[in-house]
Amino acid sequence: MPALARSTIELRIRRQDTPSAAPRWEEFSLPQQPDMSVISCLMEIRKRPVTRRGAPTTPVVWDCSCLEEVCGACTMLVNGVPRQSCAVLVDTLPGGVITLEPLTKFLVVRDLIVDRQPMFDALRQVKAWLPIDGTHDPGPGPRLAESVREVAYEFARCMTCGCCMEACPQYHGRSDFLGPAPIAQVRLFNAHPTDALNVAERLETIMGRGGLADCGNAQNCIEVCPKEIPLTEAFGELGRQTLALGLKQLFRR
Ligand code: SF4
Ligand code: SF4
Ligand code: FES
């Protein structure tokens, strides 16, 4: 068995009891066990919620579901970087205190849980779905060309974790920007042959306020995406699609 990088894990966790409560920091100290992830540390704290100084406290609250970096629910700042806490192994972090904080671009519900609803609202705004009316059997649908399947596979891996929204300097409480993940989903759904009728509507949404033009091209989003989704490729392609639509609308007048 490989030697453990530390014998004790020191954690500093930003806590907040309710959305309107003042945040506070609490420190915890745990014996390290092999292959511990950040979530295993939180589970250990939940078993015995006592601070490093021995004061009893409430268990730290966090969100998770899949525990295999697929659902995005456990995303938080680990040492200041947005990551899935189920997938971060303690041994891969530098020595010293590990800091855990909730994402800063969403409202805190409690402790490390944030409300990612604005991201889902933005997905609704860009109509990130294939409309099937359900009144008749639509049949098997068109076969996807390999080039479309490749694009669809890349973008369908988005788990709405929010890492890209956290890293984007243009996405914040005072901006209307829809954010990188919802805009990139337009690339996915506009590529699908079943949904050619909604392509222009989606493009018009991202041509408007809070759309593509608000992206400053800093590329922080692509740096932090755990699924390595080609977000900036999406913005480039959508830029071409919106330009073509704009020209078409101009000449139609
Ligand atoms: S390229 Fe920069 S500004 Fe544009 S969505 Fe990504 S992080 Fe935000
Ligand atoms: S694009 Fe990547 S970082 Fe952004 S929400 Fe999707 S999976 Fe997360
Ligand atoms: S619990 Fe699903 S990504 Fe971590």
Side-chain angles (χ1 to χ4, degrees):
M1 188 186 295
L4 298 176
R6 356 159 130 70
S7 56
T8 305
I9 302 171
E10 305 286 347
L11 291 148
R12 189 166 179 263
I13 304 180
R14 191 175 159 105
R15 314 257 343 238
Q16 187 172 328
D17 293 339
T18 66
S20 55
R24 65 185 192 284
W25 290 95
E26 278 184 355
E27 292 172 4
F28 298 88
S29 187
L30 310 168
Q32 178 158 10
Q33 298 160 35
D35 300 325
M36 280 186 99
S37 67
V38 166
I39 278 204
S40 343
C41 296
L42 292 170
M43 287 172 171
E44 287 302 308
I45 293 173
R46 185 169 59 188
K47 283 187 210 159
R48 188 175 167 271
V50 173
T51 68
R52 189 168 64 85
R53 292 176 183 275
T57 185
T58 50
V60 178
V61 178
W62 77 95
D63 206 356
C64 69
S65 178
C66 69
L67 294 179
E68 53 182 357
E69 207 179 14
V70 173
C71 72
C74 67
T75 306
M76 61 184 70
L77 296 179
V78 179
N79 287 346
V81 180
R83 302 183 69 180
Q84 283 64 60
S85 48
C86 66
V88 179
L89 294 178
V90 168
D91 271 344
T92 63
L93 295 172
V97 178
I98 300 168
T99 305
L100 304 182
E101 297 165 82
L103 295 179
T104 63
K105 299 287 177 80
F106 303 98
L107 288 177
V108 174
V109 175
R110 185 166 173 189
D111 291 344
L112 301 169
I113 298 184
V114 295
D115 180 5
R116 289 179 295 147
Q117 187 60 40
M119 207 173 6
F120 299 106
D121 291 342
L123 287 170
R124 197 169 296 131
Q125 221 174 313
V126 300
K127 292 197 163 47
W129 63 81
L130 295 178
I132 310 267
D133 66 15
T135 56
H136 61 281
D137 179 0
R143 198 177 169 86
L144 286 188
E146 178 57 17
S147 56
V148 175
R149 189 207 58 77
E150 274 174 16
V151 168
Y153 178 72
E154 294 286 354
F155 292 97
R157 289 177 306 141
C158 176
M159 54 182 172
T160 46
C161 65
C163 288
C164 58
M165 313 285 270
E166 178 72 20
C168 175
Q170 302 296 102
Y171 183 77
H172 51 77
R174 297 174 313 285
S175 103
D176 296 317
F177 187 39
L178 293 164
I183 291 180
Q185 289 300 295
V186 175
R187 173 85 177 96
L188 169 63
F189 289 97
N190 274 11
H192 202 288
T194 297
D195 200 24
L197 285 178
N198 285 314
V199 164
E201 196 181 343
R202 287 200 195 91
L203 292 177
E204 277 164 6
T205 306
I206 62 165
M207 284 157 85
R209 200 179 161 131
L212 208 48
D214 286 8
C215 166
N217 202 25
Q219 312 216 356
N220 299 13
C221 51
I222 202 159
E223 297 281 321
V224 296
C225 176
K227 299 293 177 187
E228 298 178 353
I229 293 174
L231 295 163
T232 46
E233 185 274 335
F235 306 150
E237 172 55 27
L238 292 171
R240 284 186 283 281
Q241 292 183 17
T242 51
L243 181 65
L245 180 67
L247 289 172
K248 206 162 132 190
Q249 290 173 339
L250 189 68
F251 288 116
R252 238 192 242 142
R253 283 182 192 161

